[in-house]
């Protein structure tokens, strides 16, 4: 494809479809029976620390009762713990337990192993091309996140 024929809309469409498919497939391969939303919640708590249930619901775009049910299941599985919110005595903060932290690390490693298996047949040049694309995808992610926060 020459620069003259580059269609940003097509590239954006293809990237959205490919990244969505990859996310779904990695979730299936690494998920071990937990829902994609459960893994996203565990990942968010690992990255951002303790959060309120309502904030997790907003972040994951689910209703608060749905998130409350998920949090209860993850808490019963020993993945999460609750503590009072120091800013609001009526609310609590949810954070990862040690078991939850180990679980999300295992999930990520399983996903990495699946990706490595998929890249086994790639040439050195193809692997270098992927390495060059990763920072660009992260810049897109950062811009989208900033737009959503702003």
């Amino acid at each position: 494809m020459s620069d003259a024929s580059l269609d940003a809309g097509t590239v954006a469409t293809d990237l959205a479809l490919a990244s969505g498919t990859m996310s779904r497939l990695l979730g299936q391969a690494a998920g071990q029976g937990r829902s994609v939303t459960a893994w996203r919640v565990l990942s968010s708590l690992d990255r951002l620390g303790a959060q309120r249930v309502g904030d997790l619901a907003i972040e994951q775009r689910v209703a608060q009762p749905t998130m409350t049910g998920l949090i209860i299941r993850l808490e019963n599985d020993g993945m999460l713990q609750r503590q009072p919110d120091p800013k609001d005595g009526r609310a609590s903060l949810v954070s990862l337990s040690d078991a939850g932290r180990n679980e999300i690390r295992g999930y990520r490693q399983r996903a990495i192993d699946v990706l490595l298996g998929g890249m086994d047949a790639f040439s050195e040049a193809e692997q270098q091309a992927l390495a060059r694309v990763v920072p660009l995808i992260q810049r897109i992610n950062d811009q989208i996140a900033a737009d959503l926060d702003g």
Side-chain angles (χ1 to χ4, degrees):
M1 175 185 289
S2 71
D3 288 341
S5 66
L6 181 68
D7 176 2
T10 299
V11 172
T13 299
D14 291 348
L15 182 58
L17 292 173
S19 63
T21 299
M22 180 183 284
S23 178
R24 181 180 52 78
L25 292 171
L26 289 176
Q28 287 176 334
Q32 296 188 325
R34 291 200 193 279
S35 70
V36 172
T37 305
W39 288 114
R40 287 193 317 236
V41 167
L42 292 171
S43 181
S44 178
L45 292 170
D46 187 49
R47 280 184 289 102
L48 303 174
Q51 297 179 54
R52 294 173 69 162
V53 173
D55 293 336
L56 287 166
I58 290 167
E59 176 185 286
Q60 298 302 322
R61 297 175 307 280
V62 299
Q64 184 152 349
T66 301
M67 182 57 66
T68 298
L70 175 59
I71 294 301
I72 290 169
R73 287 189 299 280
L74 290 170
E75 189 175 25
N76 288 339
D77 288 347
M79 301 295 109
L80 303 178
Q81 54 198 17
R82 291 182 197 238
Q83 62 270 352
D85 184 342
K87 297 178 184 174
D88 183 352
R90 301 167 296 164
S92 62
L93 295 174
V94 179
S95 62
L96 286 179
S97 65
D98 288 340
R101 195 166 288 103
N102 289 336
E103 191 81 9
I104 194 64
R105 287 182 185 140
Y107 172 83
R108 288 178 180 149
Q109 188 59 56
R110 288 187 300 276
I112 290 166
D113 291 345
V114 169
L115 281 171
L116 286 169
M119 293 168 46
D120 276 349
F122 283 23
S123 69
E124 178 72 23
E126 288 170 323
Q127 290 186 28
Q128 289 176 1
L130 280 175
R132 287 190 302 274
V133 170
V134 171
L136 299 175
I137 292 172
Q138 190 55 53
R139 278 179 46 198
I140 292 169
N141 289 343
D142 293 344
Q143 182 60 52
I144 292 168
D147 290 348
L148 289 172
D149 290 342

